[in-house]
Amino acid sequence: MIRPTPADRPDSVKATEPTAATENTAATQPTEKTENTARTGRPRRRAVVIGGGLAGMLAAAALAEFSDEVTVVERDRLPAGPDPRTSLPQARHVHLLWSGGARAFEQLLPGITAEWLAAGARRIPLPTGLVTMTAQGWLRRWPEMQHMIACSRDLLDWVVRRRVLDLPAVTLLQGHEMRALEGTRARVTGVRVGRPDGSERLLPADLVVDASGRGSRAVGWLGGLGVTGVTEAEVDSGLVYATRVYRAPAGAENFPVVNVQANAAEPVPGRTATIVPVENGRWLVTLSGTRGGEPTADPARFEEFALREMRHPVVGELISLAAPLSDTVTLTRSTVNRRRYFEKVPAWPDGFIAVGDSVATYNPLYAHGMSVAAQGLVELRNTLRLHRIGTPGLAGRVQRAVARPVGLAWDLATSQDILYPGAVGRRPGTASTVANHYVNRLAHSALGRARLTRAFLGVLTLSEPPSTWLHPDTVVATLRGPGRELLTGPPLTEEEWKVASGDPRTGTEPHSDTGAGTGSS
């Protein structure tokens, strides 16, 4: 629950929007807690997080272990429940949290997975609970190797926000807009923010973390202090994605995620379709298309697009049997992959770190943004356990650590997106082309080999480093090919087709076997 102002709750509840008088007093008069801390001889540590979204809350959780005060500055009024945020329209689309990201969340907020599940999220085993047509073909539903958390983005964010704002050190400052960094090109010492009434407030800080997202103005803020040299890269496939909400059929509580992917090797626009079961008995359905093959916001054409424009019509077939809960389709075009190489700035200022989408944004179809943000903040926490806040060079060390998970997700996304017709960005070199051929071969062989499916999902879910794909056993199995006969249709079970039809008496035979088993070939 987000803490209200003192006018709404008793004084014993920490305020999120102090009055001007309270702010001025806090800036000039030490509190009893401050005085007690001072008497211990340890300086009081303050941190400021710019942005109250998912990355901002995780940053606050990481910093709360090392700071006496963590102030989260958020320009919007955040909802008190699992409701949409004003500045996060993309939250209405499918968001999946891979197991590599979920484990990072657990490191920062132990027990958070159980809280998501209690709030209505689902833990879906992979590939058991996944019906997917990859670029190479239908993946078998082997026993669990990895997992994902499936729910609406609003619920995912709310559970994290509620948990973080209960931490004693964390305070949320709503309706305040970041304006500038304070300090010098060598060290950031705080931020200047705009109050709702237009006036400014200075927030001193030993460490400032930018988690303001894809619209971050960090390059400009740093430029205001004389810090330059931030290089950027972009790869834009022209992707547009559209989402509509459907009522899940009765008995679909354990229905799998269903997904038809594009094949970047084909010289046509890449189109995808995905059904994700989310809380409150709903199916979140997202369709997408790259430049020249975009979906529209017309509800009358939504199912037609899923039926006729995909490599397989299974998603269109399933949603044609379900009832839409929304009269409109949400359309989003801001899907460019963009990376800022903060870690390469030669003289990075102490006291400032950028994380999450402020560093890199990805095509949302790969579902890597939340996981990478969480893994980057684990790197922040781990570094702070070795080097206290204020240590010279700490910020640069953390910025380089944050870049490690960013690099893998960036390579996975851009190596495919640049191949679609009309894509804009740097073309892959010879080494990248060779690597892509090997990965495609591995993905093809994984269609019939459990060992390779395990290796494939380990990297895709950001649970394992890509070096695992070069293990001698993996290389040999990749070269041998799938082994088993490939599936010819979606591996939905007979019972799942019955549930989707809404009439258990008219269930059909599955299009193919589910591929389930314990094989280790």
Side-chain angles (χ1 to χ4, degrees), residues 409-425:
W410 177 261
D411 291 343
L412 289 172
T414 60
S415 65
Q416 296 302 302
D417 277 11
I418 195 60
L419 301 178
Y420 292 113
V424 177

Side-chain angles (χ1 to χ4, degrees), residues 98-99 123-134 138-148 254-259 261 446-458 460-461 487 491-493 496 514-517 519:
W98 297 119
S99 44
R123 183 191 184 281
I124 296 180
L126 298 176
T128 323
L130 177 64
V131 172
T132 184
M133 184 182 192
T134 71
W138 293 102
L139 192 68
R140 278 181 162 81
R141 295 169 69 178
W142 308 104
E144 180 173 348
M145 299 168 179
Q146 296 291 339
H147 69 275
M148 67 170 71
N254 295 313
F255 208 82
V257 170
V258 182
N259 169 249
Q261 301 176 23
L447 300 180
R449 294 188 185 275
R451 175 184 297 162
L452 292 183
T453 300
R454 183 181 299 277
F456 182 69
L457 290 177
L460 181 66
T461 61
L487 301 181
L492 284 158
T493 67
E496 286 163 350
T514 65

Side-chain angles (χ1 to χ4, degrees), residues 97 102 106 109 111-125 144 147-152 155-160 162-163 253-254 277-280:
L97 180 62
E106 280 290 332
L109 297 169
I112 194 66
T113 299
E115 294 183 36
W116 282 323
L117 300 184
R122 281 184 57 197
R123 183 191 184 281
I124 296 180
E144 180 173 348
H147 69 275
M148 67 170 71
I149 302 299
C151 63
S152 70
L155 183 140
L156 191 104
D157 283 15
W158 170 67
V159 171
V160 170
R162 181 180 60 181
R163 172 75 175 273
E253 291 80 10
N254 295 313
V278 297
E279 67 275 10
N280 300 324

Side-chain angles (χ1 to χ4, degrees), residues 129-487:
L130 177 64
V131 172
T132 184
M133 184 182 192
T134 71
Q136 290 72 29
W138 293 102
L139 192 68
R140 278 181 162 81
R141 295 169 69 178
W142 308 104
E144 180 173 348
M145 299 168 179
Q146 296 291 339
H147 69 275
M148 67 170 71
I149 302 299
C151 63
S152 70
R153 176 64 186 271
D154 295 332
L155 183 140
L156 191 104
D157 283 15
W158 170 67
V159 171
V160 170
R161 186 164 63 242
R162 181 180 60 181
R163 172 75 175 273
V164 172
L165 292 180
D166 277 340
L167 297 173
V170 178
T171 297
L172 173 64
L173 205 60
Q174 299 187 83
H176 286 62
E177 185 175 5
M178 170 67 182
R179 292 189 177 173
L181 296 173
E182 285 290 309
T184 66
R185 63 187 305 174
R187 174 173 285 279
V188 171
T189 58
V191 299
R192 277 189 289 116
V193 301
R195 296 187 181 96
D197 63 6
S199 62
E200 282 195 346
R201 178 187 179 187
L202 172 64
L203 298 175
D206 300 286
L207 186 62
V208 175
V209 175
D210 173 28
S212 56
R214 66 171 57 237
S216 168
R217 294 174 287 151
V219 174
W221 299 331
L222 291 167
L225 298 180
V227 179
T228 59
V230 179
T231 57
E232 299 186 29
E234 288 189 3
V235 173
D236 183 9
S237 66
L239 182 86
V240 173
Y241 59 132
T243 293
R244 196 174 191 188
V245 183
Y246 286 76
R247 186 187 310 281
E253 291 80 10
N254 295 313
F255 208 82
V257 170
V258 182
N259 169 249
V260 176
Q261 301 176 23
N263 184 356
E266 298 176 353
V268 296
R271 300 181 178 93
T272 69
T274 304
I275 298 174
V276 176
V278 297
E279 67 275 10
N280 300 324
R282 297 175 296 162
W283 279 358
L284 205 58
V285 183
T286 293
L287 312 178
S288 76
T290 61
R291 192 169 281 111
E294 305 93 333
T296 76
D298 183 358
R301 297 172 59 190
F302 189 82
E303 292 175 18
E304 179 185 358
F305 189 89
L307 282 166
R308 302 184 184 280
E309 302 297 332
M310 302 297 150
R311 295 171 59 222
H312 192 281
V314 61
V315 169
E317 292 170 356
L318 289 171
I319 63 176
S320 68
L321 300 171
L325 292 176
S326 55
D327 295 329
T328 59
V329 173
T330 301
L331 200 73
T332 296
R333 299 179 182 275
S334 300
T335 60
V336 63
N337 300 280
R338 179 180 294 112
R339 183 176 180 182
R340 300 181 177 98
Y341 291 89
F342 293 121
E343 74 278 8
K344 295 185 177 181
V345 175
W348 186 255
D350 280 323
F352 182 79
I353 299 165
V355 300
D357 284 1
S358 297
V359 177
T361 58
Y362 319 91
N363 178 335
L365 294 180
Y366 303 103
H368 283 153
M370 296 186 297
S371 294
V372 171
Q375 291 181 337
L377 288 161
V378 169
E379 296 283 358
L380 165 64
R381 187 206 61 182
N382 291 346
T383 305
L384 289 176
R385 285 180 174 177
L386 297 174
H387 309 278
R388 67 179 179 84
I389 292 178
T391 301
L394 170 70
R397 186 178 288 110
V398 172
Q399 203 65 63
R400 291 188 292 274
V402 166
R404 286 195 285 267
V406 167
L408 171 57
W410 177 261
D411 291 343
L412 289 172
T414 60
S415 65
Q416 296 302 302
D417 277 11
I418 195 60
L419 301 178
Y420 292 113
V424 177
R426 183 177 178 180
R427 308 301 298 183
T430 302
S432 296
T433 300
V434 171
N436 280 341
H437 282 313
Y438 173 73
V439 172
N440 289 337
R441 174 75 179 186
L442 188 154
H444 173 70
S445 298
L447 300 180
R449 294 188 185 275
R451 175 184 297 162
L452 292 183
T453 300
R454 183 181 299 277
F456 182 69
L457 290 177
V459 176
L460 181 66
T461 61
L462 305 180
S463 301
E464 301 289 344
S467 59
T468 59
W469 285 349
L470 300 178
H471 187 280
D473 290 345
T474 301
V475 173
V476 170
T478 295
L479 296 177
R480 288 173 60 194
R484 297 188 180 209
E485 184 177 351
L486 301 185
L487 301 181

Side-chain angles (χ1 to χ4, degrees), residues 77-94:
R77 305 280 179 163
L78 297 180
D83 301 310
R85 282 181 54 198
T86 304
S87 60
L88 195 67
Q90 64 267 34
R92 295 175 176 85
H93 304 286
V94 163

